Amino acid sequence: MSCCSSKKSTCHYDSSPTRPADELPLETGVNATTASDSTEPETVMLQWTVRGMDCPGCAGKIEKAVSNVKGTLEAKVAFATERLLIKAVTDPAVEKNIKRVVKDAGFTLLETSVSGQKESSPDSFWQCYRSIIIFALLVTAAAIASKFWPDFDRLLFSGATLWGLAPVVQKAWRLARNGSPFSIETLMAIAAMGALFLGETAEAAMVLLLFMLGEHLEAFAAGKARQGVQKLMALTPDKAIKINQDGSRLEVLAATLIPSDLIEVRPGERLPVDGGLVTPSASFDQSALTGESVPVEHETGGKVLAGSLVVDKVVQLKVLSEPGDSAVDRIIRLIEEAEASKAPIERFIDRFSRWYTPAMIGLAILIAVLPPLLMGLSWNEWIYKSLALLLIGCPCALVISTPAAVTSALATASRTGALVKGGAALEQLGKVKTIAFDKTGTLTQGKPQVRHTKVFNERYDASGLLALAAAVETGSTHPLAKAICEEASGRGIPIPEADNIEVLAGLGVQGRVDEQCIQIGSPRHLEDSIKAQPGAQAALVNLEQEGNTMAVVTVNGSLLGFIALRDSLRDDAAKAIQALKGIGISSVMLTGDSPVAAAAIARELDMDYRAGLMPEDKSTAVVDLSRQGAVAMVGDGINDAPALKRADIGIAMGEGTDVALETADCALTHNRIVELADLIKLSRATLANIRQNVTLAIGLKAIFLVTSILGITGLWMAILADTGATALVTANALRLLRHKS
């Protein structure tokens, strides 16, 4: 191949530079107007914080209500972060109507401040629990008074019930108007009013009290599940010290910082944005982001993530991230995206609940009407039984059974530095039978070094070999290319100019130096040149058997020499493979290295391998492995993206490329593969937890369905079947927050 191209390009082998993770499809800027063409209405992005959501079902109610507002183009409610994100036409009336329908649905909207942080909530203990406290006092007073004035007990309990029922009926009506006619509030209102009609006033009051108590228990559980995300959102301060060009310091809003601004952070303070360290070396506590308890030492120029805590001294950093796009912002967006990606079992339960409640309402009507009409039985008795069925017909415990477990598991995973993009990915993790690993940057540190050189042309020595190789590789971001350039520079070797540099996709690079065509590539690409040189093949095999990756250098088509490079294994690589083997998961290394070099590393890690693979070959290998069961692929480079996509679940290293992170279903922000086994065990525990929750929810309802029809249990037990099941399911799901592998 001739060196005639004028492309100044770079190399090729297995890995790529890093970039930030993906963004939400819906922009999150505060009231940020977007440009539109002449054929479309002008749009605006709106954002609020929503208070009062007790479960993911509440988020669905809000989305449905807001989507029905004329002028709303897109609506997304993130339960975990309590954010309402809306794309709507630019019209003050639309914003007003959105606020109205959310309020009508029984939720509170808080404006988002300029810095992007949530304004403090005006809630107090009295405001949160006022209704249930007053109602409990009224019911207690009615119960006590009925002992002294028994003739007025029905009047007293009826008064208390009507007082407590008023907001429930109001909310049920508003939800029905906004597209949720079969809400728990609707069923509760019908049951309580039916009990009053039948004269069961004390029972109506107690059922309503139990319902209100269950609502507060759900709110408490939801708060516990969201604590991890809330702590993450609070990591970045909303203000920063900016250093002006004249050296003066000014406190500014973190949201106003842009790339290239210079900021100063004191010991004990956290970084408001991602920054490049200007100060010569400093230690940062990154445990809140990565789970790594030991402070990390960064050198000048090193990238430090937002939310990191400065440990030892005042530091100066150059801002790297755009407003709203720091590491913390990206993690939060990934969590919100994860919430939108439901597990298959969760999607099934959602579909099931859509017909379950209407079916139970229909059954309740039949129970109330048919026995009295066809068999002449008591109307009061069978209406009472039908009211109990209405309460059993509420699907709350069933609907929350999966998202409560998934939310808790995702929070636990994120706390240890693993971001799983949704319930579907979390469920799939637990089914994995084989994990395929890329080598460079995944099993190894991604920082290879030149270990040996072998020259076959008597006109050159080792320095001449490195000089020509470095000339062609200068400017490349590939780890092997950088290692060759660093070795030449470290030896003080002058590097000549090269031109007409051209990348040979997946194979190597070539260029011209002093009118000579220099090619650098893999042994398989330059096999003919190796065979033409006596003794070269034997030397190649010897170097590869030591686990080296070989760069072959030719001059005008003739073999010049070998550069043997080796990357150090990650400290946790061997431990990770053994931990996976301990839970019944096999591991396979997929690499572009020669079979001999790959075999040396595979022996050291005690794992299987497939070598000499091009990027497309990795995808094929993943498909082959999937015939034996679900396959996960772990990688960090652009070369890995096709395989990550083809695998049942793709896992990207947190310092990997943007493409890898976008393609993957999971990201390891801490870059510790040793915790893969723990993540899979968490997934398996989550699946078991979901099965337990579904069994609890359906089992209790089935039991009380039968006992209610037989007349063994009444309204009290029916509401306990709902609130009790919801409390049990939620408590069971919260155990995942304390999951220990």
Side-chain angles (χ1 to χ4, degrees):
M1 184 176 289
S2 63
C3 297
C4 58
S5 172
S6 61
K7 295 178 183 177
K8 182 74 175 177
S9 192
T10 56
C11 212
H12 39 14
Y13 304 84
D14 258 333
S15 188
S16 298
T18 62
R19 279 193 55 197
D22 195 17
E23 299 182 4
L24 275 173
L26 190 61
E27 296 293 336
T28 59
V30 183
N31 296 357
T33 304
T34 61
S36 60
D37 58 42
S38 58
T39 62
E40 294 183 356
E42 189 177 2
T43 61
V44 65
M45 301 299 178
L46 305 171
Q47 173 179 323
W48 286 280
T49 296
V50 185
R51 290 294 169 83
M53 293 190 292
D54 300 333
C55 69
C58 296
K61 291 176 184 177
I62 297 171
E63 276 189 11
K64 183 180 289 186
V66 171
S67 296
N68 289 334
V69 175
K70 185 177 180 181
T72 298
L73 303 178
E74 293 179 56
K76 176 180 175 60
V77 180
F79 172 72
T81 55
E82 298 183 287
R83 290 207 295 183
L84 169 60
L85 308 172
I86 296 172
K87 181 180 180 182
V89 298
T90 305
D91 184 348
V94 174
E95 185 173 344
K96 182 179 179 181
N97 289 334
I98 289 171
K99 291 180 179 179
R100 176 183 57 78
V101 297
V102 174
K103 182 179 180 181
D104 286 349
F107 303 96
T108 303
L109 285 182
L110 300 179
E111 299 292 342
T112 305
S113 67
V114 175
S115 65
Q117 304 293 326
K118 291 186 291 187
E119 292 182 353
S120 59
S121 170
D123 295 345
S124 65
F125 178 84
W126 174 246
Q127 288 173 311
C128 289
Y129 300 100
R130 174 179 57 192
S131 296
I132 190 171
I133 291 172
I134 293 176
F135 185 64
L137 290 174
L138 287 174
V139 173
T140 303
I144 294 172
S146 65
K147 299 297 182 182
F148 298 98
W149 299 286
D151 295 337
F152 294 97
D153 63 338
R154 291 190 176 184
L155 180 63
L156 294 171
F157 279 115
S158 295
T161 302
L162 290 173
W163 185 92
L165 196 56
V168 178
V169 172
Q170 187 180 42
K171 185 174 181 179
W173 171 246
R174 289 171 174 170
L175 286 171
R177 283 171 49 199
N178 291 316
S180 302
F182 300 117
S183 64
I184 177 59
E185 288 80 9
T186 300
L187 301 181
M188 191 64 231
I190 294 173
M193 288 188 291
L196 288 177
F197 174 76
L198 295 175
E200 302 291 343
T201 55
E203 195 160 4
M206 288 304 298
V207 164
L208 191 57
L209 181 60
L210 287 171
F211 167 72
M212 295 173 72
L213 181 61
E215 291 280 281
H216 284 286
L217 283 174
E218 284 187 29
F220 173 76
K224 293 289 288 183
R226 276 194 292 253
Q227 276 184 357
V229 178
Q230 290 170 341
K231 289 178 180 177
L232 183 64
M233 295 173 75
L235 278 181
T236 52
D238 58 356
K239 294 182 180 179
I241 302 298
K242 179 181 176 182
I243 302 177
N244 297 318
Q245 292 184 347
D246 60 2
S248 62
R249 287 157 173 75
L250 178 67
E251 187 177 76
V252 299
L253 290 174
T256 64
L257 294 172
I258 60 174
S260 79
D261 280 349
L262 190 64
I263 61 172
E264 185 174 270
V265 187
R266 303 181 184 92
E269 295 180 349
R270 295 188 181 276
L271 272 64
V273 293
D274 297 345
L277 186 62
V278 175
T279 305
S281 74
S283 294
F284 297 86
D285 180 352
Q286 300 179 169
S287 58
L289 285 170
T290 66
E292 178 59 63
S293 58
V294 179
V296 178
E297 185 81 11
H298 285 274
E299 301 297 331
T300 302
K303 181 179 180 180
V304 189
L305 302 180
S308 299
L309 183 74
V310 181
V311 174
D312 52 357
K313 59 184 175 182
V314 176
V315 297
Q316 294 182 1
L317 303 103
K318 183 178 291 186
V319 177
L320 297 179
S321 57
E322 297 283 349
D325 196 36
S326 70
V328 172
D329 295 317
R330 294 193 297 273
I331 291 172
I332 291 170
R333 285 200 293 272
L334 283 172
I335 292 172
E336 291 177 334
E337 286 177 348
E339 193 176 303
S341 175
K342 295 182 178 180
I345 188 172
E346 186 176 356
R347 291 196 294 270
F348 167 76
I349 289 174
D350 282 348
R351 293 193 300 270
F352 174 77
S353 64
R354 290 192 190 105
W355 65 260
Y356 170 76
T357 301
M360 290 299 292
I361 291 175
L363 179 61
I365 293 172
L366 294 176
I367 290 292
V369 174
L370 292 183
L373 286 179
L374 300 179
M375 304 169 64
L377 300 178
S378 168
W379 281 95
N380 280 7
E381 177 186 351
W382 287 94
I383 289 175
Y384 181 86
K385 291 179 179 179
S386 73
L387 294 177
L389 287 183
L390 279 181
L391 296 179
I392 294 171
C394 175
C396 280
L398 185 61
V399 170
I400 202 176
S401 60
T402 300
V406 169
T407 300
S408 296
L410 292 178
T412 299
S414 64
R415 194 169 61 242
T416 58
L419 296 177
V420 184
K421 298 181 181 178
L426 184 68
E427 182 176 332
Q428 191 63 44
L429 266 170
K431 300 176 182 177
V432 166
K433 300 297 183 184
T434 305
I435 296 185
F437 291 88
D438 170 51
K439 189 197 75 170
T440 306
T442 303
L443 292 173
T444 65
Q445 295 180 5
K447 298 177 181 178
Q449 294 179 327
V450 174
R451 300 297 178 92
H452 303 283
T453 56
K454 180 70 173 177
V455 182
F456 294 95
N457 189 318
E458 60 185 18
R459 292 175 53 200
Y460 297 91
D461 56 11
S463 295
L465 171 67
L466 288 169
L468 290 176
V472 177
E473 298 282 28
T474 296
S476 172
T477 57
H478 190 277
L480 297 182
K482 290 170 68 176
I484 291 172
C485 294
E486 288 171 2
E487 181 69 15
S489 177
R491 294 190 185 189
I493 299 172
I495 300 175
E497 287 289 329
D499 55 23
N500 294 350
I501 295 176
E502 181 182 3
V503 170
L504 310 176
L507 301 173
V509 66
Q510 65 183 18
R512 296 193 70 85
V513 180
D514 295 332
E515 300 304 317
Q516 299 183 98
C517 181
I518 308 298
Q519 285 185 280
I520 306 174
S522 63
R524 67 178 181 275
H525 172 51
L526 298 171
E527 186 176 5
D528 291 342
S529 298
I530 296 171
K531 288 180 178 179
Q533 178 65 46
Q537 186 65 45
L540 176 69
V541 171
N542 288 335
L543 289 169
E544 286 184 329
Q545 285 178 341
E546 296 174 5
N548 294 305
T549 298
M550 303 303 297
V552 181
V553 184
T554 66
V555 177
N556 296 326
S558 299
L559 180 65
L560 171 57
F562 298 146
I563 300 177
L565 304 98
R566 184 160 184 182
D567 197 357
S568 300
L569 289 173
R570 287 183 178 274
D571 295 337
D572 61 347
K575 186 177 179 182
I577 303 304
Q578 290 305 312
L580 290 170
K581 191 174 293 185
I583 58 173
I585 293 177
S586 59
S587 302
V588 180
M589 177 176 66
L590 306 181
T591 177
D593 270 357
S594 70
V596 177
I601 295 175
R603 280 195 303 271
E604 193 171 344
L605 293 175
D606 190 21
M607 66 187 299
D608 197 3
Y609 70 94
R610 296 193 182 184
L613 303 179
M614 299 287 286
E616 58 271 21
D617 297 329
K618 291 184 180 180
S619 293
T620 303
V622 167
V623 173
D624 290 341
L625 292 169
S626 66
R627 296 191 180 100
Q628 304 166 19
V631 176
M633 172 70 191
V634 187
D636 74 329
I638 291 176
N639 289 349
D640 304 320
L644 288 170
K645 192 69 175 177
R646 186 64 66 91
D648 294 286
I649 181 165
I651 303 172
M653 303 298 285
E655 292 180 354
T657 65
D658 191 29
V659 174
L661 290 168
E662 288 176 7
T663 307
D665 306 292
C666 177
L668 301 177
T669 60
H670 50 34
N671 286 298
R672 292 198 304 270
I673 59 173
V674 71
E675 291 183 7
L676 277 173
D678 291 342
L679 185 59
I680 291 171
K681 285 191 278 187
L682 173 63
S683 172
R684 292 175 178 177
T686 304
L687 293 176
N689 192 283
I690 290 171
R691 288 192 290 269
Q692 295 162 4
N693 285 348
V694 172
T695 302
L696 275 172
I698 295 178
L700 281 174
K701 288 186 181 296
I703 291 170
F704 285 104
L705 173 64
V706 174
T707 57
S708 295
I709 292 176
L710 295 177
I712 299 172
T713 56
L715 294 182
W716 286 47
M717 296 307 295
I719 192 65
L720 282 176
D722 180 66
T723 58
T726 301
L728 286 173
V729 162
T730 305
N732 190 43
L734 289 177
R735 291 192 304 114
L736 291 170
L737 291 172
R738 302 187 300 275
H739 176 78
K740 301 293 183 184
S741 299

